[in-house]
Amino acid sequence: MRWLRRVSQIFFILFFLFLLIRTEDRIAANIVPYLSKFFFQIDPLLSFATLLATWKIPEGILSALLLIILTFILGRFFCGWVCPLGTVHNALSYILKKERWGERRNWLKFQRGKYYLLVFFLLSALFSLQLLGIVDPLSLLYRSIALGINPGFNSFTNSFFDSIYGTGLRPLTGISEPIYSFLKGNILSFKQPVFIQGLFITLLFAGIALLNLYRRRFWCRYLCPLGALLGLFSKASFTRLVVDENCTSCMICTNKCPAEADPNSTESWKKTECYLCWNCVEVCPTGSISFIPSPARSHQGGIIDIKGRRMAISAVAGAATVPFFSFSIESKRANPDLIRPPGALPEEEFLDKCIRCGECMKVCLTNAIHPTFLQAGLEGLWTPYLVMRLAYCEYSCTLCGQVCPTQAIRRLPVNEKQKVKIGLAFISRDRCLPYAEQKECVVCEEHCPTPKKAIWFDEKEVTLMDGSRKIIKQPVVDLNLCIGCGICETKCPVSDRPAIYVQSIGESRSKTNQILLTELPE
């Protein structure tokens, strides 16, 4: 059974990575033809958090309910057989740590920590502070790989094969080039991705991984709120561990248990902590341990001593934290740099739904979408925003709305998306070449994608340094036609700080972030 569990873990981690790698428009058809939302839609923690924050039934909740039903029947099998982050920790624990019995007993009391965290984040969500996406294991793993590890892997791989090609040695390049072509066509991104905070997010993930040096599956045992939620549902499951009279109390089973579920006796076994990994059954030298189906109430087993007072403190802390996270300068006045992807819901509703998974950032064709730091306040940490100085929103692309698991970014038809304003462009006359240097430049107008150009030219006669006169075309932005796609800013030849820039004002999703003294754009 242990080998079957390992096959299952390998299958699901590879499936997770496959979906992550293929979450991009490889066939240039503006379609992501894969189950890119699968893992997020089976995650009951994200569904509960979205439900509490919005009081609306989230998309894919039936998949999450199916997982809950299976947990009710079987127990916490997801953590041991399916969870990709659990598999990563399992592998790292195997490599990094050989745990001794004596030291593990001192850590048992910390197992309850994940239940307190669960209550804290759910109460925060109930009061419209949606932070569970930051700590949800599936969202955490996807974000860490997509925004941190994947760009590093792409850069290393490209440099490695470029170095081999640079040697000019035919025997080497004859082997390396077919491999590189395969990687380019199937695994590597079509364009080197770079994300703001990518290194920071990677280091955080590395820190979580290194916790396995101290305890096996540290995250799963002590911190994971999804594990805590499934543990609560598994308390009434129909699976029972039985230890028969042949047991010699050698404690090998307990020493090999990655979950600290104490499988050394029927009475001590903690059902809510058990991953059903089957390690205890496999290592028992006398074959005394077995799992059997059993009516839920015939066996209570060991329990995690969750203190009611601390649960209450966690709940109060979760509710009390809300105003501190929600209050920010951005709550008083819109941040001009906070340009959300097209189709994003109004800001308050968007923050309630966004789970910070990073799928929209991974799939963006131009690498324009990045994670925020404080642009949306603490409440909006790692939510998506566009940085036009680096890249622009492709006029005919709707991929970010297609992959968003919670529809915080709505899926829009192309013709509707092309009318959505995500901001407005403004010209900096002290840097724009026709204004500041009296030189001809039409780059912004040439790249403007709207059917009727949002940038037009005002022809002005100017006096040059030598006293001669010249007609110069000076660009002007029509705010009624501009949709804020940002291609003018990205392509501006004034490269460090472009002479034309996009700000969030005028965005279609907001009724207040508008230019108040002019006729409002449609």
Side-chain angles (χ1 to χ4, degrees), residues 45 48-55 117-135 315-328 347-356 376-381 383:
L45 182 63
F48 276 146
T50 306
L51 180 64
L52 288 174
T54 63
W55 291 105
L117 285 176
L118 173 67
V119 171
F120 173 87
F121 284 111
L122 286 180
L123 259 293
S124 300
L126 183 61
F127 288 92
S128 297
L129 178 61
Q130 174 62 286
L131 297 177
L132 263 168
I134 294 176
V135 293
V316 172
T321 302
V322 174
F324 294 98
F325 274 75
S326 302
F327 182 78
S328 64
E347 187 65 9
E348 188 174 342
E349 194 176 349
F350 177 81
L351 292 177
D352 285 344
K353 282 195 166 187
C354 179
I355 58 171
R356 286 85 164 164
L378 276 175
E379 185 182 12
L381 179 68
T383 52

Side-chain angles (χ1 to χ4, degrees), residues 1-297:
M1 188 63 78
R2 187 165 56 173
W3 280 104
L4 188 60
R5 186 255 303 167
R6 287 173 177 168
V7 169
S8 171
Q9 286 181 299
I10 292 171
F11 170 77
F12 280 106
I13 187 72
L14 291 178
F15 186 42
F16 182 86
L17 293 175
F18 171 78
L19 295 180
L20 187 147
I21 291 169
R22 305 303 290 188
T23 303
E24 58 183 56
D25 185 22
R26 286 178 176 268
I27 57 175
N30 194 33
I31 296 174
V32 180
Y34 298 95
L35 302 171
S36 59
K37 308 175 188 176
F38 174 79
F39 282 95
F40 300 110
Q41 291 187 337
I42 65 170
D43 186 337
L45 182 63
L46 294 178
S47 292
F48 276 146
T50 306
L51 180 64
L52 288 174
T54 63
W55 291 105
K56 294 178 181 175
I57 303 296
E59 181 184 352
I61 194 170
L62 291 179
S63 306
L65 288 175
L66 177 61
L67 178 58
I68 290 172
I69 292 170
L70 290 175
T71 304
F72 261 128
I73 298 171
L74 301 173
R76 199 174 149 188
F77 77 98
F78 180 84
C79 302
W81 291 66
V82 179
C83 180
L85 185 60
T87 301
V88 171
H89 286 305
N90 213 39
L92 291 173
S93 298
Y94 180 78
I95 296 168
L96 298 176
K97 184 65 180 175
K98 302 298 181 186
E99 210 166 63
R100 293 191 295 272
W101 163 250
E103 64 187 42
R104 67 180 294 279
R105 303 303 303 178
N106 299 327
W107 285 76
L108 290 177
K109 59 186 176 184
F110 294 108
Q111 284 177 299
R112 65 183 75 133
K114 57 181 175 291
Y115 296 97
Y116 300 143
L117 285 176
L118 173 67
V119 171
F120 173 87
F121 284 111
L122 286 180
L123 259 293
S124 300
L126 183 61
F127 288 92
S128 297
L129 178 61
Q130 174 62 286
L131 297 177
L132 263 168
I134 294 176
V135 293
D136 177 81
L138 300 177
S139 184
L140 186 155
L141 182 62
Y142 195 100
R143 180 176 62 243
S144 301
I145 295 178
L147 308 188
I149 297 171
N150 183 52
F153 173 74
N154 272 267
S155 177
F156 172 80
T157 306
N158 286 322
S159 300
F160 177 75
F161 283 98
D162 286 347
S163 298
I164 294 178
Y165 185 78
T167 63
L169 299 173
R170 282 186 173 273
L172 275 178
T173 57
I175 298 172
S176 66
E177 284 307 294
I179 297 174
Y180 187 50
S181 296
F182 173 80
L183 293 174
K184 288 287 287 183
N186 296 281
I187 296 178
L188 297 176
S189 301
F190 63 91
K191 181 181 177 183
Q192 172 63 48
V194 178
F195 292 99
I196 296 172
Q197 299 188 67
L199 178 60
F200 177 58
I201 290 171
T202 305
L203 291 176
L204 281 179
F205 182 72
I208 292 171
L210 288 175
L211 289 174
N212 291 291
L213 280 170
Y214 296 96
R215 312 298 308 157
R216 284 186 293 176
R217 294 190 69 159
F218 187 104
W219 172 269
C220 311
R221 286 182 182 181
Y222 309 119
L223 299 174
C224 182
L226 176 58
L229 182 68
L230 295 177
L232 294 176
F233 285 122
S234 69
K235 193 171 183 179
S237 70
F238 295 89
T239 301
R240 179 184 178 191
L241 179 138
V242 174
V243 181
D244 64 27
E245 66 278 4
N246 295 321
C247 174
T248 60
S249 300
C250 64
M251 305 302 283
I252 293 176
C253 55
T254 301
N255 230 2
K256 293 293 182 182
C257 177
E260 291 188 75
D262 288 341
N264 52 293
S265 73
T266 304
E267 293 72 26
S268 66
W269 177 58
K270 300 186 185 72
K271 182 185 284 190
T272 57
E273 302 303 297
C274 182
Y275 306 153
L276 300 176
C277 67
W278 241 260
N279 275 2
C280 53
V281 177
E282 298 286 342
V283 300
C284 180
T286 59
S288 303
I289 302 175
S290 59
F291 285 98
I292 63 170
S294 173
R297 296 189 182 279

Side-chain angles (χ1 to χ4, degrees), residues 383-423:
T383 52
Y385 81 124
L386 286 92
V387 182
M388 304 301 192
R389 186 167 57 86
L390 302 177
Y392 58 93
C393 181
E394 175 62 42
Y395 186 58
S396 299
C397 174
T398 62
L399 295 177
C400 54
Q402 292 183 41
V403 300
C404 181
T406 60
Q407 286 298 288
I409 304 172
R410 289 178 299 131
R411 180 172 184 160
L412 300 175
V414 174
N415 58 347
E416 186 178 341
K417 181 263 181 181
Q418 291 173 340
K419 297 174 184 174
V420 171
K421 290 177 181 290
I422 56 177

Side-chain angles (χ1 to χ4, degrees), residues 422-462:
I422 56 177
L424 293 174
F426 298 90
I427 293 173
S428 178
R429 296 193 176 195
D430 60 339
R431 297 179 67 81
C432 181
L433 297 179
Y435 288 102
E437 300 294 329
Q438 298 172 342
K439 292 181 179 178
E440 296 286 356
C441 178
V442 296
V443 173
C444 54
E445 190 271 347
E446 282 184 336
H447 285 89
C448 183
T450 54
K452 184 179 180 182
K453 298 281 186 179
I455 297 175
W456 59 280
F457 292 109
D458 184 17
E459 294 187 351
K460 289 288 181 78
E461 186 178 43
V462 296

